[in-house]
């Protein structure tokens, strides 16, 4: 696993350009297509899986060539957190899974998806919800500090 300084990552995220955000969005659509082989992805979003829940594993999917490009935020039930599935089967050679603390993931999510709730799509296996995912294609603006 890569060593990641979340504060540094948040700082770099604030400087992402429109072309970088567009690339993140494109890659996240490709990831969604890959996920559809293993999961049913609901068509509508639901409340974010925060506050942190003990039965979920939280991680992010990033572009291996630039880990500041976050492709998706994932919260999956620990029973379904199959590392072999979240390896080459889904991520291939161009994406990587980063296991960060749920608090760090929430901080990153709040920078890229500042809307308070309903950013995550349910992931289902055999009809049951096994996790939630938010994609970079949902980014419609970054968080900017409020002026006082």
């Amino acid at each position: 696993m890569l060593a990641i300084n979340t504060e540094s990552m948040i700082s770099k995220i604030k400087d992402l350009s429109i072309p970088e955000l567009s690339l993140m969005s494109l890659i996240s659509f490709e990831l969604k297509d890959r996920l559809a082989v293993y999961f049913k992805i609901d068509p509508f979003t639901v409340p974010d899986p925060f506050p942190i829940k003990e039965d979920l594993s939280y991680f992010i999917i990033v572009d291996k060539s630039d880990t500041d490009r976050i492709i998706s935020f994932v919260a999956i039930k620990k029973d379904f957190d199959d590392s072999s599935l979240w390896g080459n089967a889904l991520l291939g050679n161009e994406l990587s899974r980063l296991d960060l603390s749920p608090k760090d993931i929430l901080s990153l999510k709040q920078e890229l998806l500042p809307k308070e709730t309903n950013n995550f799509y349910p992931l289902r296996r055999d009809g049951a919800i096994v996790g939630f995912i938010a994609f970079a294609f949902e980014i419609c603006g970054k968080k900017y500090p409020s002026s006082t």
Side-chain angles (χ1 to χ4, degrees):
M1 183 174 98
L2 300 171
I4 298 296
N5 177 333
T6 308
E7 289 180 22
S8 171
M9 195 173 190
I10 287 172
S11 174
K12 290 177 184 176
I13 285 172
K14 290 178 181 184
D15 294 330
L16 288 171
S17 67
I18 296 298
E20 289 172 310
L21 292 169
S22 298
L23 181 59
M24 290 164 47
S25 178
L26 175 67
I27 295 169
S28 70
F29 274 109
E30 293 170 357
L31 176 61
K32 185 178 181 189
D33 289 343
R34 288 184 201 172
L35 286 169
V37 174
Y38 299 94
F39 300 99
K40 181 186 180 315
I41 302 170
D42 284 6
F44 301 103
T45 58
V46 296
D48 297 357
F50 297 101
I52 298 161
K53 296 172 178 63
E54 291 298 318
D55 65 332
L56 296 175
S57 294
Y58 294 82
F59 56 93
I60 59 175
I61 305 297
V62 297
D63 183 343
K64 267 188 187 173
S65 66
D66 184 347
T67 57
D68 295 327
R69 292 187 193 136
I70 298 174
I71 307 306
S72 68
F73 299 89
V74 180
I76 193 146
K77 289 187 177 178
K78 290 182 178 178
D79 300 353
F80 288 90
D81 189 9
D82 181 358
S83 59
S84 63
L85 176 63
W86 291 100
N88 284 342
L90 284 174
L91 306 181
N93 293 325
E94 60 278 348
L95 300 176
S96 183
R97 170 183 170 157
L98 292 182
D99 293 295
L100 303 173
S101 77
K103 284 183 178 183
D104 288 344
I105 290 173
L106 178 58
S107 295
L108 292 167
K109 181 256 171 214
Q110 288 171 333
E111 286 298 323
L112 288 173
L113 297 165
K115 186 175 73 161
E116 291 295 321
T117 188
N118 293 345
N119 293 294
F120 285 76
Y121 292 90
L123 295 173
R124 293 180 185 267
R125 291 274 304 262
D126 301 322
I129 294 175
V130 298
F132 306 92
I133 188 164
F135 296 99
F137 61 71
E138 296 178 81
I139 297 171
C140 57
K142 295 184 287 183
K143 180 180 176 181
Y144 289 98
S146 59
S147 55
T148 54

